[in-house]
Amino acid sequence: MSTRKIIIDTDPGQDDAVAILLALASPEEIDVLGITAVAGNVPLSLTEKNARKICELAGKPDVKVFAGCKGPMNGTLVTAEHVHGDNGLNGPDMPEPTMPLQDQDAIDFIIDTLRSEPAGTVTLCPLGPLTNIATAFEKAPDIVEKVQEIVLMGGAYFEVGNVTPAAEFNIYVDPKAADIVFKSGVGIVVMPLDVTHKALTTKPRVDAFRALGTETGIATAEMLDFFERYDVEKYGSKGAPLHDPCVIAYLINPELFSGRHINVEIETTSPLTMGMTVADWWGITDRPANAMFMGDLDADGFFDLLTERLGRL
Ligand code: BDR
Ligand code: CA
């Protein structure tokens, strides 16, 4: 398999953090050109800082981290401190980062990278609201056809919603941006709640991270210990859904996942169902397929991969 060049667009968040660690631990498959932070789980000032904390935890302070949009294209920012804690990465005691934030704006980095790399060689990996990606597409429409693929975490069909009864957080925070991305014509792979709610951080799985005995393994276990309390309390599940690492695991081993190539549209007007991903899973309409919408994963294979890769850091 050849190395895939990616930009990780993210709002860390403990699950974003594990996704970044997985990518940085997998240089044979993944070349991280840069990490672009967006407002989401917590405000931008924290997400960009958290991205740098995670790069330092991984022992990769040379990774370029950029700050992007402070809030959605329309409306005000909705955050998720109730899930992730007040700094977004609650759990371990991590030092303030010393590696620099890049001067360039994340949007311009995305645009410049897609213009300078050969067409069809850069994959975008959004792990948060799609504000940065859609803003870049609106500012520089010429880059859209240069994107190799977008592999994102967001949306839901059978699992419906986690922030409202009808919507998943990343799409709900910026439905306009999601609508632009899903209508862009770029090939999209979606990791919705239908998949991520099967990737649960059960005790044996988190203990396996801790048992690595490394700084990264122990910090990951501590992050997930904190992260899971919300879902265990709310849903009575055996752990938290490890949403965002599904995106990176797909790049390393797509066979862990299965789904359907279908039409997915975003609700942008109804107050009741704002941000819903209307996924034509059953092929009821003749609307053209625009996304590979995943529905299942090999959860044990996914956690085995994570444990093996985190052990490399
Ligand atoms: C998504 O929302 C965030 O809280 C997580 O980091 C994930 O990207 C799940 O709905
Ligand atoms: Ca996220």
Side-chain angles (χ1 to χ4, degrees), residues 11 15-16 41 127-128 170 244:
D11 61 338
D15 61 321
D16 303 72
N41 287 323
L127 310 177
N170 288 342
D244 294 337

Side-chain angles (χ1 to χ4, degrees), residues 1-28:
M1 186 194 268
S2 57
T3 311
R4 212 155 151 170
K5 289 182 279 192
I6 71 169
I7 296 173
I8 301 177
D9 189 68
T10 178
D11 61 338
Q14 292 90 348
D15 61 321
D16 303 72
V18 179
I20 293 168
L21 293 172
L22 178 59
L24 295 179
S26 306
E28 285 129 44

Side-chain angles (χ1 to χ4, degrees), residues 29-280:
E29 295 92 353
I30 295 172
D31 177 8
V32 181
L33 300 179
I35 296 177
T36 51
V38 68
N41 287 323
V42 284
L44 182 70
S45 58
L46 289 170
T47 59
E48 65 82 357
K49 190 197 283 188
N50 289 347
R52 290 184 290 136
K53 281 185 184 173
I54 295 302
C55 292
E56 291 190 352
L57 176 64
K60 312 269 182 194
D62 295 334
V63 175
K64 293 192 172 113
V65 176
F66 303 83
C69 297
K70 287 197 168 89
M73 297 177 101
N74 277 341
T76 49
L77 179 66
V78 175
T79 54
E81 286 87 354
H82 58 293
V83 180
H84 300 272
D86 60 356
N87 73 24
L89 276 189
N90 290 44
D93 194 11
M94 280 192 278
E96 291 294 294
T98 58
M99 63 182 273
L101 178 68
Q102 299 295 307
D103 290 336
Q104 190 182 25
D105 177 78
I107 308 308
D108 292 330
F109 170 72
I110 293 169
I111 294 170
D112 287 356
T113 304
L114 284 162
R115 283 181 176 160
S116 62
E117 295 287 339
T121 65
V122 176
T123 295
L124 302 178
C125 297
L127 310 177
L130 289 155
T131 320
N132 284 350
I133 307 298
T135 304
F137 283 4
E138 291 236 299
K139 188 171 176 190
D142 59 290
I143 64 171
V144 174
E145 65 179 28
K146 304 214 163 161
V147 179
Q148 180 178 11
E149 195 173 33
I150 295 173
V151 185
L152 67 87
M153 190 281 136
Y157 180 66
F158 294 99
E159 291 287 305
V160 197
N162 64 354
V163 62
T164 75
E168 180 279 329
F169 179 80
N170 288 342
I171 306 296
Y172 178 77
V173 172
D174 199 339
K176 178 180 174 189
D179 188 47
I180 289 169
V181 169
F182 277 79
K183 286 187 172 142
S184 69
V186 178
I188 303 176
V189 177
V190 183
M191 294 294 168
L193 297 180
D194 310 307
V195 169
T196 68
H197 279 183
K198 293 170 186 153
L200 293 180
T201 59
T202 61
K203 187 167 185 319
R205 290 168 175 165
V206 176
D207 284 346
F209 296 147
R210 206 182 326 268
L212 292 169
T214 58
E215 195 188 347
T216 307
I218 293 166
T220 300
E222 289 176 355
M223 277 193 270
L224 297 180
D225 284 344
F226 181 89
F227 183 52
E228 75 173 17
R229 92 225 171 280
Y230 176 80
D231 289 84
V232 170
E233 215 170 272
K234 185 164 179 191
Y235 302 107
S237 52
K238 289 188 176 152
L242 204 46
H243 308 281
D244 294 337
C246 291
V247 166
I248 306 299
Y250 173 82
L251 300 178
I252 299 169
N253 184 3
E255 291 181 2
L256 291 171
F257 302 89
S258 59
R260 295 185 182 184
H261 191 226
I262 59 170
N263 177 269
V264 180
E265 310 228 348
I266 311 297
E267 176 58 62
T268 58
T269 55
S270 158
L272 186 63
T273 56
M274 183 67 79
M276 186 174 192
T277 43
V278 181
D280 191 4

Side-chain angles (χ1 to χ4, degrees), residues 288-302:
N290 60 344
M292 184 69 195
F293 198 83
M294 294 303 181
D296 207 354
L297 90 161
D298 168 1
D300 286 333
F302 168 72

